[in-house]
Amino acid sequence: MMPMESALQVTIFVEECDTWHHRPLFAEIVHRAHEAGLAGATAFRGVEGFGASSVMHAPRLLSLEQDLPLVIVIVDEEERVRRFLPTLRELIDEGLVIVERVGIMRCADRDSVPAQV
């Protein structure tokens, strides 16, 4: 079994229409995470959902503008994540940020790992 490492996972819930200086908020968060040298960040589009406002967000067939829920997940070492949290506080006016300890297992490309006999 591969060894587990301790890390922090940040899960950010926003809406597709949220912006930061005319740029999609999710893109700004992912790019800032990249600039900060974090291990990785991925944005996921939700199919349907609601938050504190209880407004349902779902695809609308007759609308060009969608307001679907988005989730951004970032995982890295605790110290690096904690250094990034003030950036999230600066960027997010409305939304939810969850920070939790997780165990991670780093998997290498099987072709690059020497075979064990």
Side-chain angles (χ1 to χ4, degrees):
M1 176 132 183
M2 298 181 117
M4 296 287 283
E5 299 175 41
S6 180
L8 285 184
Q9 175 176 309
V10 180
T11 306
I12 306 154
F13 296 86
V14 294
E15 297 173 5
E16 192 172 27
C17 67
D18 292 340
T19 60
W20 172 260
H21 296 276
H22 308 291
R23 182 178 186 177
L25 177 61
F26 73 91
E28 186 68 24
I29 291 170
V30 170
H31 286 267
R32 294 259 190 123
H34 186 259
E35 290 170 2
L38 294 175
T42 302
F44 300 93
R45 177 180 283 150
V47 175
E48 187 170 21
F50 68 94
S53 68
S54 292
V55 173
M56 290 297 294
H57 299 278
R60 294 174 294 224
L61 295 175
L62 301 177
S63 175
L64 294 177
E65 184 177 308
Q66 297 294 324
D67 190 16
L68 295 173
L70 292 172
V71 176
I72 303 132
V73 177
I74 300 170
V75 179
D76 205 334
E77 297 170 357
E78 181 171 351
E79 181 181 318
R80 294 170 72 156
V81 168
R82 293 211 182 274
R83 280 197 310 261
F84 189 68
L85 292 178
T87 300
L88 294 177
R89 198 171 284 285
E90 171 194 344
L91 294 173
I92 300 170
D93 290 331
E94 276 186 47
L96 177 66
V97 177
I98 298 172
V99 180
E100 57 191 330
R101 291 188 190 289
V102 295
I104 60 171
M105 185 174 62
R106 297 184 191 268
C107 300
D109 182 5
R110 290 178 187 239
D111 293 336
S112 66
V113 177
Q116 294 182 356
V117 180

